[in-house]
Amino acid sequence: MAVCVAVIAKENYPLYIRSIPTENELKFHYMVHTSLDVVDEKISAMGKALVDQRELYLGLLYPTEDYKVYGYVTNSKVKFVMVVDSSNTALRDNEIRSMFRKLHNSYTDVMCNPFYNPGDRIQSRAFDGMVTSMMIQARRGKESLVARAPGAWSPEEAAKGGAEDL
Amino acid sequence: MEAAAGGLCGSGPPLLLSEGEQQCYSELFARCAGASGGGPGPGPPEAARAAPGAATAAAGPVADLFRASQLPAETLHQITELCGAKRVGYFGPTQFYVALKLIAAAQSGLPVRIESIKCELPLPRFMMSKTDAEIRFGNTAELHGTKVQIPYLITEKNTFKRIDDEDKQQETQSPSMSPLASPPSSPPHYQRVPLSHGYSKLRSSTEQMHSAPYEARQPLVQPEGPSTGGPGAKPPRHQASLIRSFSVERELQDNSTSYPDEPWRITEEQREYYVNQFRSLQPDPSSFISGSVAKNFFTKSKLSIPELSYIWELSDADCDGALTLPEFCAAFHLIVARKNGYPLPEGLPPTLQPEYLQAAFPKPKWECALFDSYSESIPANQQPRDLNRMEKLSIKDMADFPVPTQDVTGDDKQALKSATDEALPKDMSEDSATPKDSNSLKARPRSRSYSSTSIEEAMKRGEDPPTPPPRPQKTHSRASSLDLNKVFQPSVPASKSGLLPPPPALPPRPCPSQSEQASEAEVHPQLNRAPSQAAESSPTKKEIPYSQPPSKPIRRKFRPENQATENQEPSTTVGGPASVATVKPHPAVQKQSSKQKKAIQTAIRKNKEANAVLARLNSELQQQLKEVHQERIALENQLEQLRPVTVL
């Protein structure tokens, strides 16, 4: 369902960003970047509430003409941002929440790896695979935004394309 | 054969071959000759006439074989010249043997001369067709050392199939292997000999630096040659072990579905080696290795971090940041395979899954005996004991992790170190109770040293990165919080069952005797519940290393059970086993109940003391947390001050 998935560290630099390979992927990166302001706003809007009371799922950050951007913050201030195509039949809130939960779980598994230093780019293949599955589902339902045929899209190439843009 | 060799080559030097060499060379010769269809050499028909009885090896396979020896081309030319093939025009047996001997000499670094073959040499090594794969994957630096190990894995595969089908036509099944590569018995002997010899050497030297296994493996392979003077003696023994391990594998294969991925199958030897390594890191084989410990260990393998990260991902099936024994074996095996040039698989191979490994390789005998006796004697308390162990370990982790997050004073360092040292030996002695006292004693200094080094390393790491400001600590902070949860949750049911939570081992400053007595008291209620030989022996053995005075009478009392009443010590801790040990029923029952009450009361007292200690520790930790917060605030202030400057 997602067109672009990004994991942003606490200090607002990207740990992982991947989008569907289109002709202009930078626009997704730009959208994620601008969404960070909204995320910060939402977090600070909670005011003095303790971290525990704050909900992790932030909901729709802002809609654009073609896309909608959703956000999620973990307790360690790591942000997940997801860009979803608006033309897709409106995804229910629950589905978005479940996707974020999956992301969070995979992120936790990545953190459990002792060879992963927090703050490094995420290069875990399991994480990649999970994100791919999220993106592939979207692609099946949509008319192809992608230049390539559905079968030819390979996760590795997409990851390379996404990761190199970092 | 030697005589014939000597006799035949009137033109060549007399060859003295050892048994193993003889075997090897004759096999190779037969293969070369057989591959050529037993036909004559490239020379004219007179070659066939000249040696009707002795076959000649065709130039094609011979050239392949020589090329597989990885020697440069001019060396090979020299060798062919020297061995007399050029002169004679064909590779007869003598020429072939001389050539092989010269190849061995060249590979050992000796000059290619006739005199070289007079000394005792290792068998020549031939790289079978995996050379392409190696060049693709391994570094050239590692190639030489890993040469023998790949044939080991491959020949294992092939000989396994051969034993299965008893058919040498397995070449067709492994199309990537050249005909030379489906080896006869002796090259795998040789290639297996140094590897298993290396393994046995490594096993004996596990007490040394853990880098030794990785680096020593390679140089070990090389100098194995001269030291295995008589490979002939070894092959029979290793053949036996070969067959045994293969029969094990064959049985496994019969039981389970046959897995086509032979390189991912762990053999007995490898398994033992991995288990020993595991034990050196973590004395309790049924528990797990924490992430940082495993990371330090695997980093020594000199693989790149992304690869290690991927291997961890593959092997840590439950993603808990720690490795149990099967997970550890899988990870180790993957590392070994990767070092040998195998590409890492996309997913964990079925032979490396933890369930498969646990089913395929039952625990070694002495462990089994231990756990069996344990299960017999203390069935009810097995679970709380496991919890105990887990808690102790997680406490150890917790001790590891908070240490680097703050600038610890000297005493704290010492204290925590000693605490974790005690935690580890306590675990260990609890488990390896029954017969293996010497084993536990030997293993304990190892675990102690290892835990201390890991703490020191962790602390060093913690002190290095204070400068990069916003980066979180390089320690496993998340896992530490998880471990804390693990600590405090099970402690509730544990206390209900009357057991002490593990923290008695942790508190640094309170004297260890307190905690020991507390744990002794904890043990005795259990004893009273399930009196048996094994149960007694475990606490007695546990007590021995720590509290000498009370333990000695217990020990003495252990043998003559009837004399138990005589050795009543003032300490009630001793009274527990004393009462249990008495055989006579009527006085024993009364004494038991009174002793039980006393024991319970002491246990309660000890619990309260432990609680107080814990509370004190908690306040200390809170204090440290406050200090860290203050530091952080100070740093943030500094950052604020600096910021206006950089904005410009």
Side-chain angles (χ1 to χ4, degrees), chain B residues 571-589:
Chain B
S571 65
T572 54
T573 57
V574 176
S579 59
V580 171
T582 46
V583 181
K584 301 168 192 166
H586 28 277
V589 172

Side-chain angles (χ1 to χ4, degrees), chain B residues 73-190:
Chain B
E74 64 258 27
T75 322
L76 293 174
H77 282 312
Q78 259 184 314
I79 290 177
T80 11
E81 225 175 27
L82 276 175
C83 78
K86 282 240 166 85
R87 211 170 347 141
V88 185
Y90 59 86
F91 269 108
T94 32
Q95 288 77 27
F96 193 74
Y97 294 153
V98 174
L100 287 177
K101 197 89 190 212
L102 286 168
I103 289 177
Q107 282 176 340
S108 317
L110 297 174
V112 178
R113 296 243 159 68
I114 294 295
E115 296 77 29
S116 315
I117 64 174
K118 298 225 174 95
C119 45
E120 198 156 273
L121 287 169
L123 291 176
R125 290 188 290 277
F126 295 109
M127 263 329 300
M128 306 312 175
S129 70
K130 271 277 174 178
T131 38
D132 299 343
E134 283 184 29
I135 292 172
R136 234 190 304 144
F137 298 115
N139 335 337
T140 49
E142 287 180 27
L143 259 183
H144 207 39
T146 59
K147 256 192 246 185
V148 183
Q149 297 184 356
I150 287 222
Y152 161 67
L153 291 166
I154 296 175
T155 59
E156 185 191 1
K157 167 175 18 181
N158 283 337
T159 46
F160 172 71
K161 285 187 181 144
R162 194 162 49 87
I163 289 180
D164 244 350
D165 308 333
E166 293 180 15
D167 189 4
K168 270 207 174 179
Q169 310 298 11
Q170 290 310 311
E171 292 100 345
T172 52
Q173 285 195 22
S174 49
S176 63
M177 311 278 288
S178 71
L180 286 177
S182 68
S185 48
S186 41
H189 281 175
Y190 170 67

Side-chain angles (χ1 to χ4, degrees), chain B residues 318-386:
Chain B
D318 46 4
C319 287
D320 58 356
L323 294 181
T324 61
L325 181 59
E327 289 174 346
F328 178 82
C329 291
F332 211 131
H333 196 73
L334 285 169
I335 288 182
V336 166
R338 184 77 191 94
K339 288 203 75 96
N340 286 333
Y342 281 94
L344 289 175
E346 286 302 313
L348 195 61
T351 48
L352 290 181
Q353 302 275 352
E355 308 82 23
Y356 176 84
L357 283 177
Q358 264 174 346
F361 291 97
K363 296 189 179 123
K365 287 189 199 110
W366 68 269
E367 283 181 75
C368 278
L370 268 178
F371 288 117
D372 286 342
S373 69
Y374 241 59
S375 56
E376 284 162 20
S377 61
I378 320 176
N381 304 323
Q382 189 69 21
Q383 195 150 13
R385 221 165 237 235
D386 285 345

Side-chain angles (χ1 to χ4, degrees), chain A residues 10-11 13 15 76 104-105 107-120 123-128 156, chain B residues 291-292 294-295 298-299 305-306 308-310 312-313 319-321 345-346 470-476 478 482:
Chain A
K10 179 167 116 174
E11 295 81 13
Y13 60 90
L15 295 175
S76 52
H104 197 172
N105 288 334
Y107 178 71
T108 310
D109 290 342
V110 168
M111 291 292 280
C112 278
N113 190 331
F115 296 103
Y116 173 76
N117 298 318
D120 290 350
Q123 283 159 330
S124 147
R125 293 192 212 184
F127 192 82
D128 270 346
E156 286 80 21
Chain B
S292 54
K295 174 179 176 177
F298 288 138
T299 313
I305 297 288
L308 287 171
S309 172
Y310 183 56
W312 177 281
E313 231 181 81
C319 287
D320 58 356
E346 286 302 313
R471 284 284 158 116
Q473 301 289 342
K474 281 189 182 173
T475 58
H476 219 105
R478 214 200 119 80
L482 288 175

Side-chain angles (χ1 to χ4, degrees), chain B residues 401-465:
Chain B
F401 299 136
V403 167
T405 60
Q406 50 219 4
D407 297 335
V408 190
T409 62
D411 338 336
D412 281 353
K413 259 190 245 183
Q414 293 296 327
L416 277 168
K417 206 196 294 189
S418 65
T420 55
D421 289 344
E422 284 186 357
L424 279 180
K426 261 207 176 155
D427 280 340
M428 236 228 10
S429 53
E430 263 185 10
D431 302 331
S432 62
T434 16
K436 298 288 172 173
D437 203 12
S438 60
N439 226 347
S440 62
L441 284 173
K442 229 190 292 170
R444 216 184 309 123
R446 245 189 291 147
S447 64
R448 190 171 287 160
S449 63
Y450 201 81
S451 68
S452 58
T453 51
S454 70
I455 290 178
E456 282 162 9
E457 285 175 35
M459 284 194 317
K460 274 187 228 150
R461 268 188 293 132
E463 286 165 15
D464 280 346

